Amino acid sequence: DTAVSQTPKYLVTQMGNDKSIKCEQNLGHDTMYWYKQDSKKFLKIMFSYNNKELIINETVPNRFSPKSPDKAHLNLHINSLELGDSAVYFCASSQGWGRNTGELFFGEGSRLTVL
Amino acid sequence: AQRVTQPEKLLSVFKGAPVELKCNYSYSGSPELFWYVQYSRQRLQLLLRHISRESIKGFTADLNKGETSFHLKKPFAQEEDSAMYYCALRGSQGNLIFGKGTKLSVKP
């Protein structure tokens, strides 16, 4: 029933490990996003995909690699995790992009803790 | 530059008091502005958007292009209003550009 779902909700891992966060939406939207919320609650766009094509890549280290196998999924893979990667990662989706973008719907977030 | 500024990190009021959460923006062109709310450990939810000019949960926000502001107001705060509030601007690529957020704390 959940519109935008992310797994896992919590992830605790050691520095240097590689991990993935998955996101799925069942709203029929064609655009998906990853946002990072840091410890100060600041929300920043990381990536956006429209119809599986990358349209936004906001100066994110190339250790972060998004993958969109289809319009309903946008996964985030992170290599060689660092302490500064600890954050809550929010997935979102919308219909359309650019000035025709509809409302963004957010997932519940995935809290990543790097030790 | 496309930017959203929320000057207050924390706003603390008593129940029944009026609330105003400030938001200023920088955008060349016609802006599209939103307020999102995040209750404790929950997902962000759209509260309202300027184009619909609606009132949700007693909150209203008016776009003032002269002052480049989109302040969120509520005449009588309730305890359940305690949350993080984010002002957001639609970027040219459709993504939302968020302010740093204001934590509203409504005390009994």
Side-chain angles (χ1 to χ4, degrees):
Chain A
D1 219 0
T2 308
V4 183
S5 57
Q6 300 177 224
T7 53
K9 284 195 176 142
Y10 299 95
L11 187 52
V12 181
T13 189
Q14 300 286 335
M15 262 195 328
N17 283 351
D18 303 339
K19 289 293 176 188
S20 292
I21 307 172
K22 295 186 177 182
C23 179
E24 177 181 5
Q25 54 94 4
N26 63 6
L27 296 165
H29 289 163
D30 58 4
T31 305
M32 295 184 74
Y33 311 80
W34 278 110
Y35 279 84
K36 180 181 179 181
Q37 185 180 46
D38 63 22
S39 57
K40 295 182 180 177
K41 304 288 188 184
F42 183 39
L43 272 163
K44 196 168 185 316
I45 182 80
M46 297 175 70
F47 301 103
S48 173
Y49 273 73
N50 173 253
N51 280 317
K52 305 192 296 175
E53 297 288 327
L54 180 67
I55 55 173
I56 296 176
N57 182 346
E58 278 288 312
T59 326
V60 178
N62 56 16
R63 297 182 296 104
F64 290 77
S65 50
K67 282 190 173 50
S68 182
D70 55 58
K71 285 194 314 182
H73 296 84
L74 180 61
N75 304 323
L76 184 64
H77 188 77
I78 316 170
N79 288 327
S80 304
L81 278 156
E82 300 177 357
L83 293 177
D85 297 333
S86 295
V88 181
Y89 293 84
F90 284 97
C91 178
S93 73
S94 68
Q95 184 58 33
W97 74 284
R99 298 303 289 176
N100 297 317
T101 308
E103 178 183 342
L104 265 69
F105 289 81
F106 284 84
E108 289 185 317
S110 296
R111 182 176 293 271
L112 172 65
T113 303
V114 182
L115 302 175
Chain B
Q2 301 171 52
R3 190 170 57 243
V4 177
T5 304
Q6 292 180 251
E8 301 136 332
K9 272 189 182 175
L10 173 65
L11 187 61
S12 188
V13 301
F14 286 102
K15 178 182 168 182
V19 166
E20 183 179 47
L21 290 87
K22 294 193 184 332
C23 172
N24 288 90
Y25 66 90
S26 173
Y27 188 77
S28 55
S30 193
E32 194 178 345
L33 286 146
F34 307 82
W35 277 98
Y36 274 77
V37 60
Q38 185 181 26
Y39 299 102
S40 181
R41 300 231 169 195
Q42 291 187 28
R43 72 184 73 214
L44 277 93
Q45 305 169 43
L46 178 65
L47 183 61
L48 49 80
R49 70 191 88 183
H50 90 269
I51 55 172
S52 53
R53 301 179 69 82
E54 58 202 341
S55 172
I56 304 290
K57 299 184 180 182
F59 285 97
T60 58
D62 290 316
L63 177 61
N64 185 323
K65 289 188 179 181
E67 295 182 358
T68 60
S69 69
F70 188 57
H71 303 326
L72 184 68
K73 299 177 186 178
K74 184 168 182 176
F76 308 104
Q78 303 299 314
E79 287 179 71
E80 55 266 29
D81 295 329
S82 295
M84 279 293 289
Y85 289 80
Y86 291 93
C87 183
L89 169 70
R90 174 87 73 203
S92 54
Q93 291 173 295
N95 61 298
L96 291 179
I97 300 163
F98 287 93
K100 292 194 175 183
T102 297
K103 183 174 181 179
L104 175 63
S105 174
V106 181
K107 298 177 181 177

